[in-house]
């Protein structure tokens, strides 16, 4: 029972790490195209999907990871455009890249800690 919970938790962390990898690629693409006229930045939608799925899991007790696949979207709403039609702000993209890397590191450390705990329990069962 406890292993099922830990492994489920690890799968959720893995999905979040996958989303962070997708987000890193999207941010790098935004930065690479910062000087391309009429380029529209993209973002990744994941946390909202995860929160919705976890909320549903509280009722059902089951998390369906296929419902929380990260989506790349180009949304121009709320972003200002430069004269050349591009809406990438290098400074904000660099901040997002750093935040994303920090999140990824925290998730990786959490995942490693979970596997260390599982290993310790298994070693104690010998």
């Amino acid at each position: 029972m406890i292993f099922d919970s830990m492994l489920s938790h690890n799968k959720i962390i893995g999905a979040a790490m996958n989303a962070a990898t997708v987000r890193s690629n999207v941010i790098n693409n935004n930065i690479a195209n910062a000087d391309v006229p009429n380029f529209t930045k993209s973002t990744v939608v994941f946390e909202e999907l995860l929160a919705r799925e976890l909320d549903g899991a509280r009722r059902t007790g089951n998390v369906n990871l296929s419902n929380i696949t990260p989506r790349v979207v180009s949304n121009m709403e709320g972003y200002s455009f430069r004269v050349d039609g591009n809406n990438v702000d290098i400074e904000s993209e660099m901040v997002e890249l750093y935040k994303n890397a920090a999140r990824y590191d925290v998730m990786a450390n959490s995942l490693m800690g979970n596997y260390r705990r599982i290993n310790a329990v298994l070693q104690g069962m010998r």
Side-chain angles (χ1 to χ4, degrees), residues 47-109:
E47 287 75 10
E48 300 86 359
L49 302 173
L50 177 61
R52 191 176 322 137
E53 184 61 30
L54 292 177
D55 187 47
R58 287 185 191 95
R59 293 188 299 271
T60 65
N62 187 5
V63 175
N64 185 352
L65 292 178
S66 65
N67 292 338
I68 54 174
T69 304
R71 290 191 330 235
V72 177
V73 296
S74 292
N75 185 353
M76 296 181 283
E77 191 175 309
Y79 294 105
S80 61
F81 285 84
R82 299 187 312 240
V83 175
D84 68 356
N86 189 307
N87 69 340
V88 175
D89 176 19
I90 291 289
E91 288 82 13
S92 65
E93 295 296 315
M94 294 302 291
V95 168
E96 289 303 315
L97 190 62
Y98 174 78
K99 285 176 16 183
N100 189 58
R103 274 190 224 113
Y104 187 91
D105 287 346
V106 168
M107 290 183 284
N109 286 329

